[in-house]
Amino acid sequence: AGDAAADMLRREGYAGPITLVSADTAPPYDRPNLSKDYLAGSAPEEWLPLRSAKFYASHEIGLRLGAEVTAIDVAGRRVVLADGGTIGYGALLLATGADPVRLPVPGAELPHVRYLRTLADSRAIIERAADARRAVVIGASFIGLEVAASLRQRALEVHVIAPENRPMERTMGPQLGEFIRATHEQHGVVFHLGETAESIDERNVTLTSGASIPADLVVVGIGVRPRVELAERAGLAIDRGVVVDQYLRTSDPAIFAAGDIARWPDRRSGEKLRIEHWVVAQRQGQTAARNMLGMAEPFDAVPFFWSQHYDSVISYVGHADRWDAVDIDGDPARQDCTVRFKLGGRTMAVATIFRDRESLQAEYEMEREPAVV
């Protein structure tokens, strides 16, 4: 989100100073690839940076990497860094993302227990995987299952532990949940569903049922929490995220928010949404940049994401946190289907497998729906 905003500011003709501040030591990179091709070993690290160092230099975008912002001086319009330095702003974009939820069980802090959020995290998992034979993934989330697929491609034995009856059923529904489970099982993943981890030691993960699974590597993917502490300390409105208006402006008119932390008013549902996906973050960064320049452009893009499982890619447009009907055209098992999630007869979201044209058509139709008042 931050990188997209900086690029858009220059594209829109802004000639003043731009500074990207990040606690990460790497310049902006392709974060979805960390759990997909890069982790699987089929994409080199050179593919990960979003832009070259030359781009930032030629566009006069300053990168302050490995720099932590500890406070926002709202009255003085400046951010305060951990080293005591400050950076002034005329407009500020918060794109602080999210942190992985930590597993609250004995042994969760052992060195072979890893989380995946940053490039450093992915590197650490790859390093551990090189000497591992058996891996346990805790959580059947997007991240968890993509990690499972990538580790199988590295020829590790992989077990997935999750409390639900079907992986990703809450987002994808029962039919696609069964397809996802079958796809992973066909590639050798062993599921332990309806289970949670009770403890971890150097060699095993013990389940609440009492069963024990050998593990040289444990990857935890049980969700994330938006990083709102900085915004909260600055006195900005918070509601399970940073509250923004249709222009992605926070309760302070000089501060905007985008990406995983932003909770914005959704035109289609009339509800406030916070979505943790790449395309949403990128589009929000672009819209926030235009509005930092005073363009008053509402953010009304239809949410979109994709999830890769081996050679299967599920595309999803819209947003449905609940539904009362699921209509399926085609057959998920044949990797050729369209799944519509409906509420009160209205299509709220559409998932497709290898039907990109239908996915784009669904997005086009959603974009033209009247706003819910």
Side-chain angles (χ1 to χ4, degrees):
D3 182 81
D7 173 55
M8 185 55 66
L9 286 168
R10 289 294 186 235
R11 281 204 259 163
E12 291 291 351
Y14 174 69
I18 299 173
T19 305
L20 273 172
V21 185
S22 175
D24 203 321
T25 56
Y29 47 82
D30 180 5
R31 194 178 297 272
N33 221 332
L34 300 181
S35 60
K36 298 182 175 76
D37 292 339
Y38 175 64
L39 183 59
S42 54
E45 192 164 308
E46 293 73 35
W47 290 4
L48 293 180
L50 295 181
R51 309 179 195 277
S52 66
K54 182 179 178 181
F55 171 87
Y56 296 107
S58 64
H59 288 75
E60 297 183 335
I61 297 171
L63 291 180
R64 294 287 296 271
L65 303 177
E68 181 185 356
V69 176
T70 57
I72 302 170
D73 177 359
V74 174
R77 290 201 176 184
R78 60 179 189 161
V79 296
V80 181
L81 305 180
D83 64 6
T86 62
I87 304 173
Y89 66 84
L92 175 66
L93 174 64
L94 295 179
T96 48
D99 287 324
V101 173
R102 300 285 159 171
L103 188 67
V105 303
E109 300 305 319
L110 288 169
H112 70 299
V113 179
R114 313 302 306 185
Y115 297 81
L116 179 54
R117 188 68 185 174
T118 66
L119 175 56
D121 292 335
S122 194
R123 286 171 176 160
I125 293 171
I126 291 169
E127 183 179 356
R128 285 273 172 183
D131 298 320
R133 290 180 50 230
R134 296 174 294 249
V136 168
V137 176
I138 300 177
S141 62
F142 293 102
I143 290 290
L145 291 179
E146 288 172 359
V147 167
S150 294
L151 294 179
R152 281 298 298 143
Q153 288 180 254
R154 288 183 177 270
L156 273 69
E157 177 185 322
V158 177
H159 294 251
V160 174
I161 302 167
E164 52 263 52
N165 294 323
R166 299 180 183 90
M168 297 175 68
E169 181 176 9
R170 182 180 174 189
T171 302
M172 296 290 190
Q175 296 89 346
L176 284 182
E178 284 294 341
F179 163 73
I180 291 167
R181 174 178 178 169
T183 298
H184 282 268
E185 287 179 337
Q186 287 166 10
H187 286 82
V189 172
V190 179
F191 283 96
H192 304 265
L193 299 173
E195 292 271 20
T196 56
E198 188 169 79
S199 64
I200 303 170
D201 61 31
E202 288 81 358
R203 297 180 179 176
N204 300 281
V205 176
T206 301
L207 308 183
T208 48
S209 64
S212 183
I213 306 172
D216 309 306
L217 168 64
V218 178
V219 182
V220 181
I222 55 174
V224 297
R225 291 193 180 97
R227 299 182 64 188
V228 300
E229 296 81 9
L230 190 62
E232 197 167 25
R233 290 197 299 270
L236 303 181
I238 304 294
D239 176 18
R240 296 165 295 155
V242 178
V243 176
V244 297
D245 63 13
Q246 63 180 328
Y247 306 110
L248 303 177
R249 187 171 45 208
T250 70
S251 53
D252 183 303
I255 303 177
F256 297 76
D260 293 356
I261 63 169
R263 184 172 292 278
W264 83 94
D266 176 49
R267 179 183 61 82
R268 292 189 67 240
S269 66
E271 300 176 355
K272 291 203 168 185
L273 301 184
R274 188 184 66 79
I275 293 179
E276 301 153 357
H277 289 297
W278 168 273
V279 175
V280 171
Q282 186 180 50
R283 290 174 176 173
Q284 285 186 342
Q286 293 168 341
T287 297
R290 295 189 183 102
N291 292 333
M292 292 165 83
L293 299 177
M295 295 185 182
E297 175 186 292
F299 178 75
D300 57 5
V302 176
F304 166 81
F305 69 85
W306 76 99
S307 186
Q308 181 177 332
H309 305 266
Y310 309 97
D311 59 348
S312 300
V313 178
I314 302 173
S315 299
Y316 183 105
V317 294
H319 178 76
D321 56 7
R322 62 189 185 278
W323 56 81
D324 53 25
V326 178
D327 291 349
I328 299 180
D329 177 63
D331 184 0
R334 294 180 178 273
Q335 300 192 52
D336 176 26
C337 69
T338 299
V339 182
R340 296 181 178 273
F341 301 89
K342 296 185 175 182
L343 183 65
R346 183 178 178 218
T347 298
M348 303 304 296
V350 175
T352 60
I353 302 176
F354 293 124
R355 290 190 178 184
D356 289 350
R357 183 182 179 88
E358 290 189 29
S359 180
L360 289 168
Q361 181 66 30
E363 184 175 11
Y364 178 85
E365 292 169 358
M366 290 178 189
E367 286 173 346
R368 278 146 187 79
E369 289 180 5
V372 173
V373 180

